[in-house]
Amino acid sequence: MSDDLARRLHDYVNGLFVREDEALAFVREQTALHDLPQINLQPHEARLLQLLVWLCGARKVVEVGTLAGYSAIWMARALPQDGKLITIDNSAKHARIARDHVMRAGLENKITVLQGDGRQILKKLTTDAPYDLLFVDADKVSYPHYLEWAAENLRAGGAILAHNAFWGGGIFAPATADGRGVAEFNQVLANHPRFESTIIEIGDGMAIGVKVH
Ligand SMILES: C[S@@+](CC[C@H](N)C(=O)[O-])C[C@H]1O[C@@H](n2cnc3c(N)ncnc32)[C@H](O)[C@@H]1O
């Protein structure tokens, strides 16, 4: 497929299926204005994530890597009335800005933003397991650790989703700790006895593992 056709198809899908409302557009604008890294999901990736939350009938979701709350808001909108999403970020600034955005989107009853290190907070969340879905989009070196948490703390039929599963191609001959983290995550996920899995070729790759045992 030519690059031109791929771009036209991308625009076609986005035009038809990806609707970013004012609250979500605001989050992206603010991300730039507050001088935060603009590394949130792209709208078409976030739309896929939202549909996967719907598909697995999730009521209890955990996210590691909040930034300004963009992906959290997309996911929370796929939760039922009593659904809950806990999102974790180790940056106090990101957590504060995300809380403002969650309020502005009217989702404060569904989304809780916790500030702290992903590994440490996940340890505390085990008391409320099982969860339906874990989305990881934070420190890549911890991806393998987050996978093992998911194996222990998701219900059967629940899913782990991981952003940047291609790490910009850095998974082929990983030269950095981040690249090695993502490559190891993919390798372990592909062979994990408790997950059926693949990587969806969207953006920088979205790994998905459904817990089957
Ligand atoms: C790629 S951004 C998340 C983007 C967000 N998921 C979105 O699409 O809107 C990664 C975030 O992970 C956070 N982070 C990095 N290391 C972390 C850690 N060890 N624990 C928790 N959060 C971490 C960063 O502060 C940053 O806000």
Side-chain angles (χ1 to χ4, degrees):
M1 189 190 300
S2 70
D3 287 352
D4 183 50
L5 179 56
R7 200 164 22 254
R8 283 173 58 209
L9 290 172
H10 177 82
D11 291 346
Y12 171 79
V13 172
N14 275 5
L16 274 180
F17 296 105
V18 182
R19 309 227 164 79
E20 191 184 54
D21 66 11
E22 187 273 331
L24 285 164
F26 182 81
V27 176
R28 288 211 292 146
E29 276 166 35
Q30 293 297 306
T31 302
L33 283 178
H34 284 292
D35 211 18
L36 300 182
Q38 292 174 53
I39 49 175
N40 50 273
L41 292 190
Q42 291 303 298
H44 65 292
E45 298 174 295
R47 175 63 170 157
L48 172 71
L49 183 66
Q50 181 181 63
L51 289 170
L52 292 170
V53 170
W54 246 309
L55 253 184
C56 92
R59 307 180 89 82
K60 282 169 70 182
V61 174
V62 179
E63 172 183 63
V64 190
T66 314
L67 192 57
Y70 188 75
S71 50
I73 292 172
W74 273 97
M75 286 191 281
R77 289 193 171 150
L79 293 175
Q81 201 67 31
D82 61 346
K84 300 285 178 211
L85 183 148
I86 294 169
T87 179
I88 305 164
D89 206 291
N90 64 354
S91 155
K93 179 180 175 186
H94 297 183
R96 178 176 50 75
I97 292 171
R99 285 190 191 106
D100 287 347
H101 292 158
V102 166
M103 291 279 281
R104 201 170 183 280
L107 288 165
E108 62 273 23
N109 292 335
K110 286 188 176 164
I111 300 179
T112 304
V113 181
L114 298 179
Q115 195 238 314
D117 174 64
R119 290 184 186 224
Q120 298 306 319
I121 303 248
L122 283 179
K123 209 181 286 175
K124 295 184 185 153
L125 295 183
T126 55
T127 49
D128 288 327
Y131 295 87
D132 301 309
L133 191 137
L134 173 68
F135 173 52
V136 292
D137 190 16
D139 52 326
K140 309 305 165 194
V141 288
S142 295
Y143 270 33
H145 177 87
Y146 297 144
L147 176 58
E148 285 318 309
W149 186 91
E152 295 302 322
N153 293 287
L154 293 180
R155 67 163 162 84
I160 180 169
L161 300 164
H163 191 224
N164 303 119
F166 294 152
W167 198 233
I171 33 107
F172 290 126
T176 63
D178 288 335
R180 283 190 290 278
V182 178
E184 183 188 335
F185 171 90
N186 291 340
Q187 184 72 34
V188 175
L189 179 64
N191 299 293
H192 204 296
R194 300 175 89 168
F195 290 97
E196 291 293 335
S197 57
T198 190
I199 296 175
I200 302 168
E201 295 173 37
I202 185 171
D204 193 28
M206 181 76 82
I208 174 166
V210 177
K211 187 172 165 187
V212 289
H213 298 294

